[in-house]
Amino acid sequence: MAMPRKPLAEYLLEKGYVQKDQIDEAEKVRSQSKSTDIGRVLVDLGYVGEREMIEAKAQEEGLTFVDLDRYQIDSSALNMVPERIARNHSVIPVRKEGTDLYLAMPNPNNIQAIDDVQMVSRLKVKPVRAVPGAIEDAIRRNYGGGNGAPEPGAAPGAAAPAATATAPASSRGDISQAIAEAGAARGIEVGEDDAAVVQVAEQAPIIRLANALIQQAITDRASDVHVEPQQRGVRVRYRVDGVLHEAMTVPKNLQAPLISRYKIMAEMNIAERRLPQDGRIEIRQGGKDFDLRVSSIPTPAGEKIVMRILDKTSVLLGLDKLGFTEEVASQIEELTRQPNGMFLSTGPTGAGKTTTQYSVLHKLNSIEKNIITIEDPIEYQLNGIAQVQVNRKAGLSFANALRHFLRQDPDIIMVGEMRDLETAEIAIEASLTGHLVLSTLHTNDSPSAVVRMTDMGVEPYLISATIIGVLAQRLGRKNCSNCKEPYEVKQSDLRRFGFNVEDPEAAVTLYRGKGCEECKFTGFRGRIGVYELMRMNSEIAELIVRRAPPGDIKAAAKANGMHELREDGLLKILNGTTTPEEIMRVIFTAGF
């Protein structure tokens, strides 16, 4: 069912879906908005419908387009895929030919969906394109709209009581079963030849185990998955709400095929085990799209894999949902409405700096603004914004990209991170020539950003002339709303957070989670930001030029209305959002 490839615009014109002047107009809009998707621009302008655009994309990719509103789905194909798999990945089988199963998909590059369907059907999946909404409708029609999950060989609509459409894609039991099945398959020792490793890595038990570990991590709301070879096994840990938890240990004889399976999924070189590698996996679970950024490093016990799970919808939270006080949120909006200057986010790795920057960009994004970013890597794709990926092998660094950005008529530039003097100087030049620049630094608090830039070699007078605001931030765990309960502490116990103690022995009512099944008995569920916003004024600018110590800059910033991280943390403690111990964990350092 593969089709000859044909450029999208050419196909749309040939079919009469659009006119030449509409294509020309869309090209102008695409050029102005720096979008890379002419099909999306045509849809946004109302020149073509979603159905026609997806049909044209299929031609461009050499795939068949299936109109599910008219197509008669082959019942023998439908019987090969359980309802829960179809619903989980938003796919539906439409036709079976010999050992080939044609699968209607919204994203033909979803390798996990293809793996899952191939595993349960024991057929070779051939992707075809269809309108996402039509796929969902077809799933409801053809599986009877019930809660069950028919197994291969069952009649359409037949239900298996053990599975429901709303159930998680995997469970600990699924993983244990997958480990047992993989263990029963042919074992393999570390060091065997690549062909043998690949052969086992592509067996159904290993595929099921690899997928189950990822699915369980998403179900547990993990941000990272660590697959760590040890001397006698493979330890798997999930980072949930910023804290690593051990999930399970996989037998040592499954190490090589499991690691290789993840490298195959991430399109990495499985034969290279001596050097670090990076890759990417796209999956869909529970109706949501996820990107997994995969990193491998060599260790004495074998290659360690870390997968960062990025929920594509989380970046669009909006500034009002990141935990800012009303005062800080309004100040950030005021600062980022400036036509030029530099707004920095600071904090350690994993503090939520990128989410904050993306939320600001989402707020600023409009047809009147030309926004360009340079990132390493691009964590989320934002419509209407030109995003550039660093490629050091090709000679594309932060600094090189920034030089070319200034010829692209930008209004707003985001630099993923200022790592060296060259990048900082070009970013400063951009802000001095009428651009708003957003970027990040690794510092412990807002005033330290000045020290960090000075250490890079940036002249203090340039810092004072360009920075308009610095936002330091951390992420702390939130009390579980299901099991949160009150308790009392002495006022003196809160003195370190800047609490105004009137009577040291008087009690203050706080809240903490006692632990329940919903929070997996940790007492915490979700995270909240803790912030410190330093706004530039003439006094702070003068101190920077005079190379004043950070303590003097902090004092001036506080006089200008800045609340320290610990003070913002105190607000979260007093309103019951989190606990003093959690704020201490993420904020306090020696000498604080």
Side-chain angles (χ1 to χ4, degrees):
M1 294 176 76
M3 302 293 289
R5 294 176 181 267
K6 187 169 292 187
L8 183 143
E10 180 183 332
Y11 180 80
L12 290 171
L13 284 169
E14 181 181 293
K15 295 288 287 186
Y17 291 148
V18 294
Q19 304 300 317
K20 182 64 168 63
D21 59 338
Q22 293 175 326
I23 292 285
D24 294 340
E25 177 65 22
E27 287 287 1
K28 290 180 183 178
V29 173
R30 181 174 72 163
S31 175
Q32 292 169 358
S33 65
K34 304 301 184 290
S35 172
T36 58
D37 189 345
I38 184 66
R40 177 49 50 191
V41 174
L42 286 165
V43 172
D44 290 343
L45 290 173
Y47 292 158
V48 68
E50 183 183 22
R51 180 203 173 284
E52 289 76 16
M53 186 267 288
I54 291 175
E55 178 185 336
K57 277 192 172 182
Q59 289 289 325
E60 190 171 47
E61 297 163 341
L63 299 176
T64 295
F65 171 77
V66 175
D67 186 347
L68 291 175
D69 293 332
R70 302 177 181 179
Y71 190 87
Q72 182 63 45
I73 290 178
D74 182 355
S75 61
S76 65
L78 196 70
N79 291 343
M80 302 309 297
V81 180
E83 179 182 358
R84 65 182 180 86
I85 297 290
R87 288 187 180 277
N88 183 48
H89 294 297
S90 292
V91 299
I92 189 165
V94 295
R95 183 179 174 187
K96 178 176 175 291
E97 287 185 359
T99 59
D100 292 337
L101 182 67
Y102 292 91
L103 189 69
M105 308 177 67
N107 175 15
N109 297 317
N110 187 339
I111 189 170
Q112 187 170 11
I114 293 172
D115 280 348
D116 283 355
V117 172
Q118 287 185 158
M119 185 169 58
V120 299
S121 67
R122 302 183 185 277
L123 298 172
K124 179 68 174 177
V125 165
K126 302 289 187 180
V128 299
R129 267 199 177 270
V131 176
I135 294 175
E136 299 292 342
D137 291 342
I139 291 172
R140 284 192 291 270
R141 287 196 310 270
N142 289 276
Y143 286 104
N147 291 330
E151 296 302 324
T164 65
T166 57
S170 68
S171 66
R172 304 285 175 183
D174 293 334
I175 295 175
S176 298
Q177 182 180 353
I179 290 175
E181 291 175 354
R186 184 177 84 83
I188 190 162
E189 298 299 326
V190 176
E192 286 200 38
D193 64 271
D194 295 333
V197 173
V198 171
Q199 182 180 3
V200 178
E202 292 185 340
Q203 292 177 0
I206 293 296
I207 292 175
R208 186 178 295 113
L209 173 59
N211 291 345
L213 291 174
I214 293 174
Q215 291 167 351
Q216 186 62 51
I218 293 174
T219 300
D220 288 352
R221 302 177 298 105
S223 61
D224 301 86
V225 180
H226 292 240
V227 183
E228 305 167 314
Q230 310 286 307
Q231 289 299 323
R232 299 187 178 182
V234 181
R235 182 173 67 176
V236 179
R237 293 192 291 172
Y238 297 154
R239 186 178 295 278
V240 181
D241 295 333
V243 178
L244 278 170
H245 302 274
E246 184 164 347
M248 67 208 68
T249 299
V250 175
K252 187 70 174 178
N253 70 313
L254 300 181
Q255 174 182 317
L258 180 62
I259 298 296
S260 295
R261 180 63 202 162
Y262 285 132
K263 292 175 73 174
I264 290 169
M265 293 172 69
E267 298 183 353
M268 297 157 69
N269 182 0
I270 66 165
E272 179 56 76
R273 302 186 183 94
R274 300 167 299 172
L275 297 174
Q277 294 187 67
D278 294 309
R280 178 180 177 182
I281 302 171
E282 291 186 2
I283 65 171
R284 183 175 178 84
Q285 179 169 321
K288 299 173 71 175
D289 291 318
F290 296 86
D291 272 352
L292 275 64
R293 300 303 161 87
V294 185
S295 171
S296 71
I297 59 171
T299 73
E303 289 179 281
K304 174 180 176 178
I305 296 282
V306 175
M307 294 175 280
R308 169 153 289 187
I309 302 172
L310 302 173
D311 178 354
K312 292 184 178 181
T313 62
S314 66
V315 71
L316 304 179
L317 286 174
L319 292 174
D320 59 329
K321 294 183 175 63
L322 296 181
F324 294 114
T325 62
E326 290 185 10
E327 179 185 6
V328 171
S330 63
Q331 289 174 351
I332 290 175
E333 289 195 25
E334 179 183 347
L335 288 171
T336 54
R337 282 199 301 266
Q338 303 299 314
N340 55 66
M342 189 179 299
F343 181 78
L344 302 176
S345 292
T346 73
T349 300
K353 301 185 297 295
T354 300
T355 298
T356 298
Q357 294 282 3
Y358 277 168
S359 295
V360 170
L361 286 181
H362 182 62
K363 181 79 173 179
L364 297 174
N365 191 12
S366 68
I367 195 67
E368 295 86 9
K369 299 290 186 183
N370 178 19
I371 303 175
I372 310 178
T373 76
I374 174 67
E375 306 170 60
D376 184 22
I378 296 174
E379 295 195 9
Y380 303 92
Q381 293 185 351
L382 303 176
N383 288 331
I385 294 177
Q387 296 172 269
V388 178
Q389 168 83 47
V390 167
N391 187 340
R392 291 181 177 82
K393 291 182 179 178
L396 181 60
S397 64
F398 281 104
N400 288 341
L402 275 174
R403 288 193 188 93
H404 291 282
F405 281 6
L406 298 180
R407 305 187 190 111
Q408 287 283 318
D409 186 31
D411 297 296
I412 301 168
I413 297 172
M414 187 186 88
V415 183
E417 182 184 346
M418 285 200 296
R419 301 181 178 182
D420 51 46
L421 175 60
E422 186 179 16
T423 303
E425 286 181 335
I426 300 172
I428 285 172
E429 178 187 344
S431 66
L432 288 172
T433 53
H435 307 91
L436 178 64
V437 178
L438 310 179
S439 191
T440 67
L441 280 174
H442 286 90
T443 66
N444 288 328
D445 58 15
S446 297
S448 297
V450 175
V451 178
R452 176 76 182 96
M453 293 184 71
T454 304
D455 286 344
M456 284 183 186
V458 180
E459 292 294 334
Y461 73 89
L462 291 175
I463 299 173
S464 65
T466 53
I467 288 182
I468 56 176
V470 181
L471 180 74
Q473 61 185 89
R474 302 288 191 278
L475 285 176
R477 292 179 293 175
K478 294 169 61 178
N479 287 328
C480 174
S481 58
N482 187 57
C483 63
K484 186 168 67 173
E485 62 180 7
Y487 72 105
E488 293 186 345
V489 300
K490 296 178 182 179
Q491 287 189 7
S492 58
D493 292 345
L494 299 178
R495 184 179 282 119
R496 72 182 67 192
F497 300 99
F499 185 76
N500 185 18
V501 177
E502 297 178 357
D503 181 357
E505 297 300 316
V508 179
T509 300
L510 305 179
Y511 289 84
R512 63 188 170 198
K514 64 180 180 181
C516 65
E517 290 187 2
E518 190 169 315
C519 64
K520 302 191 183 300
F521 300 97
T522 63
F524 298 99
R525 184 173 173 85
R527 291 196 286 177
I528 191 71
V530 183
Y531 303 98
E532 173 184 280
L533 178 62
M534 180 181 80
R535 293 174 297 153
M536 186 64 68
N537 64 7
S538 58
E539 181 182 359
I540 296 173
E542 183 179 347
L543 289 171
I544 293 172
V545 172
R546 291 198 285 108
R547 298 179 184 267
D552 291 353
I553 296 175
K554 177 180 283 190
K558 293 194 67 174
N560 192 36
M562 181 185 83
H563 296 288
E564 294 181 68
L565 284 166
R566 61 176 180 173
E567 294 172 322
D568 191 50
L570 177 62
L571 294 177
K572 269 78 175 182
I573 293 169
L574 295 176
N575 66 20
T577 301
T578 189
T579 65
E581 294 76 17
E582 182 63 13
I583 294 299
M584 287 183 63
R585 183 183 71 84
V586 299
I587 290 177
F588 283 79
T589 57
F592 194 97

